[in-house]
Structures are given as C-alpha cells and as structure tokens.
Amino acid sequence: MAHTGTHSQPVRACLLLVVVSVWVQQVDGVWPLPQQLDQSADRNSLSPQRFSFTYGRDSAAQTGCSVLDAAFKRYFSIIFPDFTKGSENGLQYMWSEPQPFVVSVSVKTRGCDGYPDEDSDESYNLSVSEGQAVLRSVTVWGALRGLESFSQLVYQDDYGSYFINKTEIVDFPRFAFRGLLLDTSRHYLPLHAILKTLDAMAYSKFNVFHWHIVDDPSFPYQSRTFPDLSNKGAFHPFTHVYTQSDVMRVIEHARMRGIRVIPEFDSPGHTQSWGKGQPNLLTPCYKGDVPSGSFGPVDPTVDTTYKFMESLLKEVKFVFPDSYVHLGGDEVSFACWQSNPNVRTFMEKMGFGKDFTKLESFYMESIMNMTAALNRTSIVWQDVFDYHERIPQDTVLEIWKGETYQAELSRMTKAGHRVLLSAPWYINHISYGQDWRNSYAVQPQNFSGTEEQKKLVIGGEVAMWGEYVDATNLNPRLWPRACAAAERLWSDEEKTLNADLAFPRLEKFRCELLRRGIQAEPLFVGHCKHEYDGL
Ligand SMILES: *[C@@H]1O[C@H](CO)[C@@H](O)[C@H](O)[C@H]1NC(C)=O
Ligand SMILES: *[C@@H]1O[C@H](CO)[C@@H](O)[C@H](O)[C@H]1NC(C)=O
Ligand SMILES: *[C@@H]1O[C@H](CO)[C@@H](O)[C@H](O)[C@H]1NC(C)=O
Ligand SMILES: *[C@@H]1O[C@H](CO)[C@@H](O)[C@H](O)[C@H]1NC(C)=O
Ligand SMILES: *[C@@H]1O[C@H](CO)[C@@H](O)[C@H](O)[C@H]1NC(C)=O
C-alpha cells in the first residue's frame, strides 16, 4: 500500500468517495448480499431473556420440525454468544425493562424430514419491525437462509446491548448450485474439520458439499460392500477412515443446514489407492512383453470392472441420498493402457484404432449409463466433454481448466449441457495479497451464447484440493476467501460488481466468522472486536 501522504489532489477526492461508500455499505451488513435489502435507522433492542423463535400460525412446519427446531437452538447461541457462555453481565438489563422480541417463521411446505436437492426453493422474505420479525419461505431450506440473514442483522453496542434495525429483505439465490469441494484423499480430514466446514458453509449460504472422498493417495471411505478398499487403501485402516456412521453424521449435519452432500468416486484415473484393496481392477502396465509391476487407470476392457463399479455405485446410491453423484473422469493417462497387449487387442476389436480417448469414452459412457439406470444424475469433469464423448443429456459438466473457461462455457452450453464452473475458484492456490478479489470478479454468465445457454450454468464450486492442506490450515485457507464465490453465486451481479464496496462488509463478516469460532484469516490490516482467541 502506498502512503496516502504522497497522493495528489484527485486521488484524495477519490479516497473521500470511498469513505462515503464505506459508510453507505455498512448499512448492508449481510453476506452474501440479499437480492433486496432495505434498512432504516429505526432501532429495536433485543434481550436474550425476552427473545424467542416461534412458528407462524399459518406455517406448514410446527414444533417437532427437526430442521427448524435445531436451527432455532443454534441461532439463539449464535446471536447471543455471551448469554450462552454464561458470562453475561446481567447488570446491563437492569437500566431498562427488556422488550420482548419474537421471530415468527412460516413455511409453505413441511418437508422437515427430507433432504435439500437441486430444485429446492431457497427463497425467503424477512421483515423486521418493532418487537418482531416475520420470516416467510416456501421450504424449510429457505427458512434456514432467512435465519442466517437475521442473525447477521443483530449487533451489539459498546455496552453489550443487542439491537436490530427495522429491515425488509426479499431474497433468493442467483444460482441453485453453490458448492465447496474438500479433498479427503491427499490428506485425511478428521470428522470435526468437515463438520466445522459445513457450519461455515451455511454462514455463507453455500448449499453443496462436494466430497472428493477418494483419489490416488488414499481411500478413506469404508465401504460395506468392499471393506478391503479402505482396509488396504486408506493411510490407516482404523484412524484414517470414514466409517458408515461418520458418513451418516456428515450427511445429517449437512441436511440440518440445508446442504447437499455429493460424493465423488473419480475413475478411471486417480484410482491408485483403489487397486490395493481390489485386485484386477487397475490395468497392469507393461515394459516390453512383461508386466512392469506398476498399474495404470481402471481396466476398461474386462467385465469384472463393470460388475465392481455397479456394486460400488449401488452402495453409493444407498448411502448418499442426493440425486447427484460425481463420477470424475479427469486426467486419464493413456501410457499404461497403450503398453498393455490386452488393451490393444480390445481396442482393435472395438474399432477404436489407436485413439485412446475412444476407450476412455467407452468406459465413462458405461459408468454414466449405470448411474442413470440407478436414477442418479452424473457430474463429470470437463475432460469427458473434451473427448467428444456421447454424454447423456442430463449429465452435468464441471469446468476446472484454467484460463479458457469462457470458451468452454460457450461450447458446453451450446451442446445443451448443464454446467458448473470451478476453474476460477481453485482457492487451494494462494498468493500474497487480497486474492479474494479475483474470485469476486468472476462473471459466470459472461460468455458468448444465447440467453438459453446462460441458463444452463447452474452454479459453481470453490475447490480446496488437499496436496498442501490438512486440518491445521484448512479453515484459514478457506475463510474468508471462499466467501467471495459465495456472494458471486448467491447475489445479484449488478449490485455486487465493485469489490471495494464489498470489502468493508466482508471485513465485518470475517469478524463475525471469528466470533463464531471459525479461524478465518485476515483480509488486510485491522482488528475485530472479538479476536480469535485460539480456544
Ligand atoms: C441502525 O440504527 C442506528 C440507530 O438509529 C443507526 O445509527 C445505524 O446507522 C443503523 N444501522 C443500519 C445498518 O442501518
Ligand atoms: C416474498 O415477497 C415477494 C415479493 O413481494 C413475493 O413475490 C413472494 O411470493 C414472497 N415469498 C414468500 C415465501 O412469501
Ligand atoms: C428418481 O429420482 C427422482 C428425484 O431424484 C425421484 O423423484 C423419482 O421418484 C425417482 N424414480 C425412481 C423410479 O426411483
Ligand atoms: C449408453 O446408453 C445409450 C442409450 O441407451 C446406448 O445407446 C449406449 O450404447 C450405451 N453405452 C454404453 C457404452 O453402454
Ligand atoms: C464480459 O467480459 C468481457 C471480457 O472478459 C468484458 O470486456 C466485459 O466488460 C464483460 N461484461 C460485463 C457485462 O461486465
């Protein structure tokens, strides 16, 4: 940063403008920014003793609704942390009689026991007036989003009293799919780290946890059908695995926060760890006429591979309730297939010539067909499209490759496919400075194409690949950097184009994350009222 003292007059004028907009922006203290938000300077005081959540009389959900009962409990503690910690100084409430404040929640459809899915309505309206707030939504998932916004509107003055201003919000997400990828193969992430990530995701209104659960380095998923996969393929068969009950906890923790869990079982590449517990699955590589002892991608030429994949996918369908499953399909190296005489014979028989992309196509098409037969929607990485494969029309394509993603968005949507954008949000890559601004500048629908094509972009994903990430640095690397994409995917682009205007609101939100116990790294020089205390 330059020293402002050396700046010339026009620059000063500019700074003044920034200061003014900072002040205006503080009014919009919700991250991600709601579609419509009107706040006034009419202030209500709140006190934990006289505060309650309740179900509206016309609400389809009433007491006993698992998702909302739990959310009321959670948000009470979030809004009144001092009170919950028992260190509340009761004195402050003796100066004035505390006024009652009631948050009344009404949802149109019950659905308290279901799971959020691709077509879940997350819209909500929130109206805060004297002594009450009225939150209306179509589903319980929308109510969760509204409770989150409500919690961000409450603030404390220097004496510790709580306030909320009169506010009107009409809100809904811009994109239905707002994902975050964690990689639990390159490093094992303990269960608590995953659960905490889900908490923080809900604060930013992310709604999909893309669980890249297995890969080359390790296979921590403990399969009921194929226990040897983790027995032999995990870093450790007892300490570095996700048991069935661990997976159920993740899915339930996510459900309670309106988050879908989509597992990725990436094949035919990225499967070295699978081979340890499943003999004859991987292709033996050859050196000349003899096997070299090393293995390549899944062997797409033998029936046993497809029988295995079908059993595994059946189990995945049974364990993971979401209607989507990620099948990977990226970065397949052809060298090993090429070296293997059986594979070459198979290529000839199938008429693939020497084009190994055809072999990969054949494999992926079989797996996608299998998934469709199980009534699940496949997501695959962009490689599968780049190979010109026949792809079932409802398959979702995910873009991960670098700088040319606009052209890829154009091509994929032109072919009529739904698309997820991840390439500009690989935030495992770090650099000095405020790199959240790059994430914030992304315009997912700014590519050449028709309006129909633009609608095929269903959302995007922040990716946190695990080469250099484990539970020691996961949270500071994710937060608040992931929040930039969260706002891009939720909010109106027109209202959120300017990162300088967003900055003070993001700073405030980052402080709020600290207050909630998320170890979010600093954005720049400054301080928070409640610093992270390491406890
Ligand atoms: C809330 O009301 C107070 C007191 O009237 C006012 O000073 C403040 O600017 C308002 N805050 C917002 C976010 O509108
Ligand atoms: C929220 O308000 C908008 C605009 O007034 C209205 O169209 C919509 O139906 C409302 N949604 C709910 C869930 O009440
Ligand atoms: C297939 O899945 C959809 C939604 O995921 C569900 O509504 C439908 O009932 C399922 N069909 C069958 C035959 O299971
Ligand atoms: C996948 O299903 C389509 C449509 O039923 C079929 O034409 C195609 O041959 C199948 N592909 C493979 C590799 O089984
Ligand atoms: C879309 O992107 C192009 C080039 O990247 C840029 O020049 C243009 O201003 C962007 N459009 C909008 C509406 O911001």
Side-chain angles (χ1 to χ4, degrees):
M1 272 279 151
H3 293 278
T4 49
T6 62
H7 282 171
S8 57
Q9 283 310 108
V11 176
R12 274 175 208 270
C14 210
L15 281 177
L16 188 68
L17 264 180
V18 170
V19 170
V20 169
S21 32
V22 163
W23 177 79
V24 172
Q25 205 56 35
Q26 272 172 347
V27 174
D28 305 328
V30 179
W31 192 281
L33 190 67
Q35 301 287 339
Q36 282 178 43
L37 174 140
D38 296 300
Q39 279 198 287
S40 87
D42 275 356
R43 196 171 79 152
N44 292 279
S45 61
L46 306 176
S47 77
Q49 290 89 344
R50 310 275 324 257
F51 179 92
S52 59
F53 290 108
T54 179
Y55 292 93
R57 222 171 290 153
D58 60 344
S59 174
Q62 293 290 338
T63 303
C65 175
S66 58
V67 171
L68 292 179
D69 285 355
F72 294 166
K73 190 172 166 183
R74 227 167 37 239
Y75 278 107
F76 188 91
S77 304
I78 285 172
I79 294 167
F80 304 113
D82 308 334
F83 185 79
T84 314
K85 281 181 194 150
S87 62
E88 185 69 43
N89 175 3
L91 274 178
Q92 70 203 45
Y93 299 108
M94 293 174 65
W95 302 116
S96 62
E97 182 68 21
Q99 298 298 308
F101 194 97
V102 179
V103 180
S104 150
V105 178
S106 289
V107 304
K108 285 216 173 85
T109 55
R110 227 189 97 77
C112 300
D113 305 317
Y115 292 89
D117 212 332
E118 56 177 330
D119 47 12
S120 296
D121 186 326
E122 294 177 273
S123 68
Y124 69 92
N125 294 343
L126 176 65
S127 171
V128 182
S129 54
E130 200 181 330
Q132 65 162 0
V134 177
L135 172 60
R136 296 191 167 278
S137 66
V138 178
T139 66
V140 293
W141 318 120
L144 291 177
R145 305 298 168 244
L147 287 170
E148 176 54 43
S149 296
F150 177 83
S151 74
Q152 292 185 27
L153 293 171
V154 177
Y155 58 96
Q156 264 182 304
D157 69 6
D158 290 342
Y159 305 100
S161 301
Y162 293 97
F163 297 96
I164 188 166
N165 289 24
K166 193 166 178 292
T167 305
E168 296 291 331
I169 294 180
V170 175
D171 202 10
F172 50 86
R174 176 182 176 197
F175 293 106
F177 194 116
R178 305 177 307 281
L180 185 150
L181 175 154
L182 290 185
D183 167 7
T184 57
S185 172
R186 292 181 174 86
H187 283 97
Y188 177 78
L189 294 172
L191 194 61
H192 70 80
I194 296 176
L195 300 182
K196 192 152 190 163
T197 300
L198 291 167
D199 294 347
M201 284 172 67
Y203 303 153
S204 290
K205 299 189 171 75
F206 278 107
N207 69 350
V208 179
F209 170 39
H210 173 171
W211 195 350
H212 188 86
I213 191 166
V214 297
D215 203 303
D216 285 325
S218 76
F219 197 107
Y221 172 73
Q222 194 176 74
S223 161
R224 353 164 128 223
T225 325
F226 303 103
D228 273 351
L229 288 171
S230 62
N231 281 339
K232 298 186 176 156
F235 287 134
H236 187 280
F238 299 116
T239 60
H240 287 54
V241 292
Y242 303 107
T243 64
Q244 289 290 313
S245 84
D246 291 339
V247 171
M248 278 164 58
R249 266 190 76 185
V250 169
I251 293 170
E252 183 61 7
H253 198 85
R255 183 182 86 84
M256 284 295 179
R257 287 153 184 81
I259 297 172
R260 303 162 58 188
V261 178
I262 300 183
E264 177 178 355
F265 286 85
D266 188 356
S267 74
H270 291 278
T271 47
Q272 289 295 301
S273 69
W274 305 35
K276 295 183 181 157
Q278 187 62 23
N280 306 323
L281 176 65
L282 303 186
T283 311
C285 313
Y286 276 63
K287 202 168 182 161
D289 296 336
V290 288
S292 70
S294 66
F295 294 88
V298 162
D299 186 345
T301 69
V302 290
D303 277 348
T304 49
T305 289
Y306 298 98
K307 291 214 175 76
F308 165 80
M309 284 305 292
E310 189 166 21
S311 304
L312 182 66
L313 287 170
K314 274 191 181 143
E315 173 176 330
V316 168
K317 174 186 164 118
F318 181 79
V319 173
F320 294 90
D322 201 84
S323 66
Y324 285 34
V325 56
H326 204 304
L327 299 175
D330 59 318
E331 298 186 302
V332 182
S333 151
F334 297 143
C336 182
W337 279 349
Q338 219 157 357
S339 76
N340 181 303
N342 298 329
V343 175
R344 290 200 304 264
T345 309
F346 184 81
M347 294 279 290
E348 254 165 60
K349 193 183 100 193
M350 300 296 287
F352 294 162
K354 298 217 175 323
D355 185 355
F356 284 88
T357 67
K358 293 216 168 84
L359 181 58
E360 181 186 357
S361 302
F362 171 80
Y363 172 80
M364 285 309 291
E365 201 180 304
S366 308
I367 302 296
M368 288 186 285
N369 281 1
M370 233 175 241
T371 306
L374 291 168
N375 193 28
R376 287 290 189 261
T377 301
S378 310
I379 309 179
V380 292
W381 295 109
Q382 72 177 92
D383 314 45
V384 178
F385 175 79
D386 297 345
Y387 288 145
H388 310 291
E389 291 166 39
R390 278 186 301 176
I391 300 173
Q393 199 65 33
D394 75 332
T395 302
V396 175
L397 306 173
E398 181 161 14
I399 299 180
W400 67 275
K401 287 186 187 174
E403 302 298 307
T404 57
Y405 65 82
Q406 280 97 348
E408 187 81 355
L409 280 165
S410 253
R411 282 193 294 271
M412 287 174 167
T413 55
K414 192 158 191 193
H417 289 291
R418 289 179 298 162
V419 180
L420 285 171
L421 183 60
S422 194
W425 289 318
Y426 268 36
I427 65 169
N428 49 296
H429 291 268
I430 50 174
S431 57
Y432 191 74
Q434 297 192 26
D435 60 1
W436 68 274
R437 287 169 186 266
N438 303 334
S439 297
Y440 201 70
V442 174
Q443 297 179 299
Q445 286 167 316
N446 186 4
F447 58 88
S448 86
T450 63
E451 282 310 304
E452 285 309 304
Q453 278 176 258
K454 311 261 161 131
K455 282 189 201 136
L456 289 171
V457 180
I458 60 170
E461 283 194 342
V462 164
M464 185 53 72
W465 295 101
E467 284 88 352
Y468 303 99
V469 176
D470 68 8
T472 62
N473 58 353
L474 176 67
N475 280 309
R477 200 165 280 205
L478 268 178
W479 313 107
R481 294 165 73 237
C483 302
E487 178 148 299
R488 185 53 58 239
L489 291 166
W490 178 280
S491 308
D492 185 342
E493 192 171 277
E494 293 292 314
K495 293 181 183 171
T496 53
L497 283 173
N498 188 328
D500 291 334
L501 292 185
F503 181 73
R505 192 162 41 87
L506 184 55
E507 264 195 317
K508 181 173 163 271
F509 183 58
R510 184 249 165 186
C511 289
E512 181 59 24
L513 291 177
L514 292 192
R515 203 182 69 121
R516 296 182 187 194
I518 305 296
Q519 215 168 341
E521 69 176 19
L523 289 155
F524 191 53
V525 179
H527 82 290
C528 293
K529 196 163 163 188
H530 304 273
E531 298 287 2
Y532 184 78
D533 58 12
L535 298 174

